[in-house]
Amino acid sequence: MDLRESGEKKGRIGGGLNRADVPISNNNHHRHRVKTYMPSSPEPDRKSKIDKNGKSEDAQLTPEQEFDSTGNFHWCPEQDAEDCVITKQLSPSILSHHIVVCIFSDDDSPLIGLGSFIMPLRASNYRFAELKPVVLLGNLEYLKREWNSIKNFPKVYLMPGSPLNRSYLRAVNINSCDMCVILSARKGVSENDDPTLVDKSAILCSLNIKSMTFDETAALIARNKKLPGFSPSSSPVKSLSKSQLRGEAIHGANIPMITELANDSNVQFLDQDDEDDPDTELYMTQPFACGTAFAVSVLDSLMSTSYFNENALTLIRTLITGGATPQLEQILAEGAGIPGSQLSSSELDYIRDRCKVGQASLYDGPFAQFGDNGVYSDLFVYALKYFGILCIGLHRFRDTKDKSASSSCKRYVITNPPNDFTLLPSDMVFCFLPYDVELRISQQADLDQRKKKKKSSSRSRSSRH
């Protein structure tokens, strides 16, 4: 069953509040922002506002906001590759909360299809301000060959240089990125070579980044945000202990990173502190559980799942492609580029109103009440009932009991926890978010405020009597 067709047009995921259920409020004071997993949070100076019709102003079309012919992805007129090249000298100093893609390739390396990588990051169910800039670092001649598949996506930049060179890594502000992805397009080794060598460049790049150090003050100022799961009495800039700095990229090991591996057994070389046996299956290793390693063999499992369960393909498409359609796939197969949209505003609104993958914090926001020894079943029901949010798992620190300076910043994924699973304030929740999730949270906050006022007024009356 298609997630977009599993309910009425509004509130498709679960029995959440619809726009007609609650009076619209223009009070944004109590709105809590839910962090989206792929795109970044809206810029601080661009707070979403709700108009009299109950729609976010961000949803209105602006000159900078265009879509492809299917309405499923953000689109821009064809860009020349040379116009999108940045260098070490010209790299923007404000580049932050972006995605860095390190690509190892030669001039004649086979294409890996970067368009399929960029496409989910430009899904139209994210607002334009939420799109993360993507910086591709690698061989410029190769990137130009890939450019035909990504030339119609906004906020994509090229930086020529070696991903093994630290000066280039610093030039793209890798310590301020939200994710670093390491890919290899080089041809495989011959039959007579050691198979472990096929991932040599990717592993060396990963280890090189992890061993880098960055200016502490610069990293804190660049992030300028609260660290989830820690005492609010601690300032984000001052008097933070080393354990509290686990979420900041002061050290390269704290940079969110995922490395593609062609050989499963090479996962043993990614983590120096990993004590897994070299013969351990990929899915049982620490890098795989923490989401820092992706092996090509995983695609075999996804293909098998899709073959035996046709409904799984809808879920996988929502998670991975952000809503690709057969119509768009046919356009891409013809190789003529992605045409712009001719759809009306109402048609675009309908297409964009679909769920997206995100992360919600248990440290603050609408789910903070569950962060202090709450249980997963209560969180699941509450999120689905009041916000139409479908929780699918948790992202938890590996060392939750260790508060020492040497504690790790690594998180691991817990899929579909048991009903009585105890939650922690530092946990992040993987979930499917409705398109209008900010509006729903604002409405619920307004209702809660009204209930509190009504309760306090009734108490005051009873005290008088």
Side-chain angles (χ1 to χ4, degrees):
M1 179 177 62
D2 193 331
L3 290 176
R4 288 180 51 212
E5 300 175 355
S6 61
E8 297 298 325
K9 179 181 177 183
K10 310 303 177 187
R12 291 188 176 84
I13 304 296
L17 295 175
N18 291 330
R19 290 190 176 100
D21 293 335
V22 185
I24 302 302
S25 169
N26 287 320
N27 182 8
N28 293 331
H29 178 69
H30 297 283
R31 178 177 300 158
H32 294 280
R33 188 172 65 200
V34 177
K35 177 186 175 184
T36 52
Y37 181 49
M38 291 190 291
S40 62
S41 302
E43 300 169 8
D45 59 341
R46 288 194 57 180
K47 294 182 179 178
S48 299
K49 295 181 180 179
I50 308 302
D51 63 19
K52 61 183 180 181
N53 297 319
K55 289 191 177 184
S56 169
E57 290 182 357
D58 286 342
Q60 307 301 321
L61 293 180
T62 63
E64 65 180 0
Q65 190 169 333
E66 300 180 71
F67 304 94
D68 73 298
S69 59
T70 66
N72 284 289
F73 299 94
H74 286 272
W75 179 90
C76 69
E78 182 177 331
Q79 309 169 92
D80 189 87
E82 294 292 344
D83 296 335
C84 297
V85 172
I86 56 178
T87 64
K88 289 194 293 183
Q89 292 76 21
L90 299 177
S91 62
S93 58
I94 59 172
L95 204 57
S96 181
H97 300 293
H98 54 302
I99 297 174
V100 177
V101 185
C102 300
I103 305 173
F104 289 93
S105 63
D106 300 316
D107 291 352
D108 59 345
S109 295
L111 301 181
I112 58 176
L114 288 178
S116 299
F117 176 86
I118 302 293
M119 198 176 293
L121 303 175
R122 297 296 176 261
S124 62
N125 52 349
Y126 297 103
R127 297 181 176 88
F128 188 85
E130 296 175 325
L131 301 183
K132 296 180 185 291
V134 178
V135 181
L136 306 176
L137 173 61
N139 183 299
L140 182 59
E141 294 304 318
Y142 174 82
L143 295 177
K144 286 181 178 180
R145 291 172 54 213
E146 286 274 11
W147 187 249
N148 187 58
S149 64
I150 58 180
K151 61 186 178 183
N152 292 114
F153 294 118
K155 298 186 181 181
V156 179
Y157 308 99
L158 309 178
M159 173 169 281
S162 172
L164 291 174
N165 190 318
R166 291 190 176 187
S167 64
Y168 289 105
L169 296 174
R170 294 186 188 277
V172 296
N173 288 358
I174 196 167
N175 58 311
S176 299
C177 73
D178 279 353
M179 179 60 67
C180 174
V181 182
I182 303 174
L183 305 174
S184 179
R186 286 175 176 160
K187 300 175 182 178
V189 296
S190 62
E191 296 180 359
N192 298 326
D193 293 333
D194 189 341
T196 57
L197 296 178
V198 69
D199 298 315
K200 176 186 64 176
S201 298
I203 293 173
L204 288 177
C205 181
S206 175
L207 297 178
N208 183 39
I209 295 174
K210 290 176 182 178
S211 63
M212 294 176 67
T213 57
F214 303 91
D215 180 68
E216 182 173 321
T217 305
L220 285 172
I221 294 176
R223 291 284 178 174
N224 192 26
K225 64 181 180 180
K226 279 192 298 186
L227 302 178
F230 299 108
S231 172
S233 61
S234 300
S235 165
V237 178
K238 299 180 181 178
S239 60
L240 284 176
S241 66
K242 290 185 178 180
S243 62
Q244 288 173 323
L245 288 173
R246 293 190 301 173
E248 296 295 336
I250 308 301
H251 302 285
N254 292 345
I255 296 176
M257 191 185 322
I258 181 168
T259 306
E260 180 195 36
L261 299 176
N263 190 343
D264 291 9
S265 62
N266 288 338
V267 71
Q268 62 180 304
F269 303 115
L270 282 179
D271 279 332
Q272 299 300 307
D273 61 343
D274 188 3
E275 299 178 355
D276 290 333
D277 188 282
D279 296 328
T280 304
E281 292 287 340
L282 173 68
Y283 66 91
M284 294 293 291
T285 61
Q286 184 181 129
F288 187 81
C290 294
T292 59
F294 178 84
V296 178
S297 61
V298 175
L299 297 176
D300 298 335
S301 176
L302 292 177
M303 185 180 298
S304 176
T305 301
S306 301
Y307 178 80
F308 289 103
N309 183 359
E310 61 181 14
N311 294 324
L313 185 59
T314 301
L315 179 61
I316 294 172
R317 172 171 286 173
T318 301
L319 286 169
I320 298 178
T321 69
T325 63
Q327 178 188 355
L328 180 63
E329 291 174 358
Q330 182 177 355
I331 294 173
L332 294 175
E334 293 177 357
I338 304 175
S341 174
Q342 301 295 327
L343 301 174
S344 65
S345 179
S346 58
E347 290 175 321
L348 286 172
D349 286 343
Y350 179 80
I351 294 173
R352 297 183 69 193
D353 189 9
R354 62 188 193 273
C355 68
K356 50 190 174 184
V357 183
Q359 277 188 326
S361 171
L362 297 185
Y363 172 67
D364 56 7
F367 304 139
Q369 57 182 306
F370 301 101
D372 189 11
N373 294 321
V375 294
Y376 183 75
S377 58
D378 292 341
L379 168 66
F380 184 93
V381 174
Y382 180 81
L384 194 59
K385 180 178 180 181
Y386 292 102
F387 306 110
I389 296 176
L390 179 63
C391 301
I392 55 178
L394 299 175
H395 207 202
R396 172 167 290 187
F397 276 124
R398 189 193 70 179
D399 303 332
T400 55
K401 297 181 181 179
D402 185 5
K403 303 299 181 182
S404 65
S406 60
S407 55
S408 174
C409 66
K410 294 178 182 176
R411 291 178 181 264
Y412 62 96
V413 180
I414 306 173
T415 307
N416 192 23
N419 292 341
D420 57 351
F421 193 85
T422 305
L423 304 173
L424 300 175
S426 58
D427 288 343
M428 300 294 290
V429 185
F430 287 109
C431 46
F432 286 119
L433 306 173
Y435 176 70
D436 58 349
V437 62
E438 296 91 350
L439 173 62
R440 298 185 185 209
I441 292 174
S442 177
Q443 291 173 337
Q444 186 61 35
D446 188 62
L447 277 180
D448 293 341
Q449 189 178 24
R450 292 184 182 185
K451 289 180 181 179
K452 289 180 181 178
K453 288 182 179 179
K454 189 175 181 180
K455 187 178 294 185
S456 61
S457 61
S458 61
R459 287 178 180 175
S460 61
R461 289 197 204 99
S462 60
S463 61
R464 292 174 185 173
H465 294 298

